[in-house]
Amino acid sequence: MKSFFSILILTFLLLISFHSSAQHQEISDKPSVWKEQNNEKIDSTSILNAFKNGNFSGHFRYFFMSTNNETGLSDYYANALGGGVKFETAKFHNFQFGVSGYYIYDVGSSDFSKKDPVTNLSNRYEVALFDLQNISSKGNLSRLEELYLKYNYKNSNVTFGKQLLNTSFINLQDGRMRPTEVDGIWIDFNELKKTKINVGYLYGISPRSTMKYFRVGESIGIYPTGVNPDGTKSDYAGNLDSDGIYIVGIQNESIKNLKTLLWNQYVENIFNSALFQMDYKYNLNPNTTMLFGFQTIYQNALNFGGIENPRKTYFEKNGNSQTFGGRLGWQNKKIEITLNYNRITAKGRYIMPREWGRDPFYTFMARERNEGFGDAHAVMTKIQYTNPKKTFKSNLAVGYFDLPDVKNVALNKYGLPSYVQTNADFRYQFQGLLKGFDAQLLYVHKFNAGETNPNKNYILNKTNMSNINFILNFNF
């Protein structure tokens, strides 16, 4: 029955898509989960009037997900329904107050407490629609999301408290019911021509698929932790100490058609990551453009990488890693085609807490990460179509990910074999009577391309599998 239901939904939505933006917001964009309108009202007469002239916005989401593994292994499905509201006051002496919250309900899903009988492994994807820390309580989940005070100055602002962020290393990763959120101070400085500067200090994180905020060290290890470079099980969950995350980002577009990006993320007592990226557009004619991109990331451990005990630390003492990648593409007003490459050198594993965000690589594809690997090559090509009214968008992506052997634990943290992945993504934004609704259909298939020896632990929810997602949003 479950497989029939999955096929029925897939067929129905494909028909809709071909006769006629939802999930996975790009990390280069400002957060737009709530799609709230900018509140330009200014009322300096009283705090009361600032609240009375504030804006309410809401977001409801239905999410169906189903994973089909190879024959003999367990399959899963989930149906989640959620809704929430956000309120932000009008400006009062350039100050604004904002708060938001969300509820999530299970409206029919697999029993995630049951492990696969062949591998004794748990569900990977569908459980993340709810609370990873309490898989038995799917029926009534409430989450305080934003709670902040913002000060506005000309084109800039400073936000203090719980808020949404999109950076190269910490981002929404909004491919489930709710995004990752942070707690801290964030400065968005836009007073220099064609230059944007961000500076932040974060001391709390509420990862996607959790219901509360955690201190920075506590937030690392909520998701599966893999193994240490010596092959022992990683034991850093609950054992890391950090005073917080210091972030500086600079984006410059002073040179025509060239965007330069610099990010440095200093996680006190654990590790530092620095990113440099350049994206250039060359206009062939008024309607077509060539795309060029280059990116590199360098990481190094701080002190003992989180804790002195090597079995419980996050980033190996004296460890470091480096990645670099490139993009070549072509686009016009309707179609964009890109060829993307990323290389993680054999110097060490590229690691970044999965609780904080998705990979910033050009080769990123939804439903998998290349975090946790060294000596890896990734090649991905993608074609995207957007209709002239920008109400319908579709893309097809195919990627080959050459990873170290699953037994090479020093460079393969999660035991993921090399694989080929295909993603088909359809998104439609309704108009007229149904304005405010948008829908997405995402189909993912992963083929094994590596040696698994032949342990099914390296197959379940990793390769030789498909994942179907249907998301329906309503924003007001």
Side-chain angles (χ1 to χ4, degrees):
M1 177 63 72
K2 179 199 66 176
S3 298
F4 173 78
F5 185 48
S6 303
I7 295 170
L8 185 64
I9 286 183
L10 176 62
T11 305
F12 174 70
L13 286 175
L14 281 171
L15 290 172
I16 290 177
S17 297
F18 286 113
H19 285 295
S20 41
S21 163
Q23 185 199 18
H24 292 297
Q25 183 180 338
E26 294 299 323
I27 58 179
S28 58
D29 299 334
K30 284 189 174 183
S32 61
V33 171
W34 295 100
K35 292 184 171 61
E36 69 270 30
Q37 299 295 319
N38 290 329
N39 191 344
E40 297 299 331
K41 295 179 181 178
I42 301 176
D43 192 327
S44 300
T45 59
S46 70
I47 295 176
L48 176 62
N49 282 337
F51 272 81
K52 284 187 175 182
N53 289 322
N55 281 340
F56 276 100
S57 54
H59 177 213
F60 293 92
R61 170 174 282 186
Y62 165 72
F63 203 130
F64 168 78
M65 182 187 291
S66 176
T67 300
N68 294 298
N69 285 291
E70 71 172 34
T71 303
L73 301 177
S74 299
D75 297 331
Y76 305 94
Y77 69 97
N79 289 276
L81 184 66
V85 293
K86 175 178 180 177
F87 174 77
E88 186 177 66
T89 67
K91 294 177 182 178
F92 176 73
H93 295 287
N94 289 324
F95 284 95
Q96 288 178 281
F97 169 77
V99 61
S100 67
Y102 210 84
Y103 274 88
I104 301 173
Y105 297 92
D106 175 21
V107 291
S109 305
S110 299
D111 183 356
F112 302 134
S113 64
K114 292 183 178 180
K115 296 184 177 182
D116 173 66
V118 176
T119 63
N120 198 38
L121 295 176
S122 300
N123 175 263
R124 178 184 180 188
Y125 293 108
E126 288 77 8
V127 67
L129 294 179
F130 307 104
D131 184 0
L132 286 173
Q133 294 191 303
N134 191 1
I135 62 175
S136 62
S137 297
K138 299 181 293 182
N140 184 10
L141 301 173
S142 61
R143 188 188 197 214
L144 171 67
E145 298 201 331
E146 297 165 280
L147 183 65
Y148 61 82
L149 184 66
K150 180 193 297 184
Y151 179 76
N152 301 276
Y153 174 80
K154 295 183 179 180
N155 298 315
S156 305
N157 58 70
V158 180
T159 305
F160 172 71
K162 297 174 172 60
Q163 56 191 290
L164 293 165
L165 280 189
N166 240 358
T167 77
S168 293
F169 299 126
I170 298 178
N171 47 70
L172 302 178
Q173 57 171 353
D174 58 333
R176 298 297 189 274
M177 285 297 287
R178 300 307 297 158
T180 292
E181 311 223 2
V182 303
D183 199 356
I185 303 172
W186 189 254
I187 300 173
D188 194 356
F189 184 80
N190 301 294
E191 305 309 315
L192 301 178
K193 186 177 181 180
K194 296 185 178 181
T195 300
K196 177 180 178 180
I197 300 174
N198 290 115
V199 179
Y201 168 63
L202 309 179
Y203 46 79
I205 295 181
S206 179
R208 178 184 76 176
S209 310
T210 65
M211 295 298 123
K212 62 180 183 177
Y213 279 81
F214 303 85
R215 295 193 303 273
V216 169
E218 290 179 325
S219 71
I220 305 174
I222 294 172
Y223 290 6
T225 57
V227 298
N228 291 316
D230 64 0
T232 58
K233 180 174 172 44
S234 293
D235 192 24
Y236 51 78
N239 291 311
L240 302 178
D241 181 43
S242 175
D243 289 337
I245 308 168
Y246 300 86
I247 304 177
V248 177
I250 302 173
Q251 179 178 302
N252 182 270
E253 298 183 51
S254 298
I255 300 175
K256 184 179 179 181
N257 295 332
L258 176 66
K259 181 167 69 174
T260 303
L261 190 65
L262 289 166
W263 282 104
N264 193 82
Q265 177 175 282
Y266 181 91
V267 186
E268 192 274 333
N269 194 49
I270 301 180
F271 70 107
N272 188 83
S273 299
L275 175 146
F276 173 72
Q277 183 172 320
M278 299 177 68
D279 293 286
Y280 180 70
K281 294 184 177 182
Y282 179 77
N283 297 323
L284 296 174
N285 58 54
N287 297 316
T288 59
T289 303
M290 291 293 294
L291 307 174
F292 303 91
F294 172 78
Q295 176 196 84
T296 185
I297 300 172
Y298 180 79
Q299 297 182 301
N300 62 280
L302 299 175
N303 298 327
F304 292 95
I307 191 172
E308 188 169 353
N309 187 336
R311 296 291 180 94
K312 297 183 177 182
T313 198
Y314 179 70
F315 209 113
E316 186 180 21
K317 183 183 178 182
N318 299 322
N320 55 70
S321 71
Q322 186 167 11
T323 82
F324 59 87
R327 165 173 286 177
L328 176 64
W330 177 93
Q331 70 176 182
N332 61 20
K333 293 182 179 180
K334 296 181 181 180
I335 297 174
E336 178 178 298
I337 303 172
T338 60
L339 177 64
N340 307 275
Y341 172 76
N342 190 71
R343 164 68 171 162
I344 306 175
T345 71
K347 181 177 292 190
R349 299 169 168 180
Y350 168 80
I351 58 174
M352 183 67 61
R354 296 189 172 197
E355 295 84 356
W356 297 1
R358 70 168 179 82
D359 299 337
F361 307 140
Y362 289 124
T363 54
F364 170 78
M365 297 179 70
R367 295 297 174 267
E368 195 50 83
R369 313 281 182 97
N370 283 166
E371 181 273 331
F373 303 100
D375 195 17
H377 297 268
V379 180
M380 185 268 280
T381 185
K382 181 177 179 180
I383 180 169
Q384 178 172 290
Y385 167 79
T386 305
N387 72 345
K389 293 183 178 180
K390 300 188 184 302
T391 57
F392 173 68
K393 180 186 293 185
S394 63
N395 68 69
L396 175 65
V398 180
Y400 170 64
F401 300 84
D402 182 21
L403 305 179
D405 186 272
V406 292
K407 291 187 176 181
N408 183 357
V409 292
L411 297 173
N412 194 326
K413 178 178 172 65
Y414 299 102
L416 179 65
S418 299
Y419 63 97
V420 174
Q421 180 170 339
T422 60
N423 284 17
D425 192 329
F426 305 91
R427 308 184 187 205
Y428 185 74
Q429 189 169 356
F430 293 88
Q431 302 296 312
L433 182 64
L434 295 178
K435 187 175 182 179
F437 283 93
D438 62 72
Q440 179 186 8
L441 176 66
L442 172 66
Y443 177 78
V444 178
H445 195 92
K446 294 174 63 185
F447 304 88
N448 180 54
E451 179 59 56
T452 59
N453 299 307
N455 191 333
K456 297 301 182 181
N457 289 57
Y458 302 124
I459 296 294
L460 180 71
N461 293 323
K462 293 181 177 178
T463 60
N464 293 344
M465 51 150 287
S466 62
N467 181 265
I468 302 171
N469 308 259
F470 170 55
I471 305 99
L472 182 65
N473 295 298
F474 177 65
N475 288 87
F476 64 89

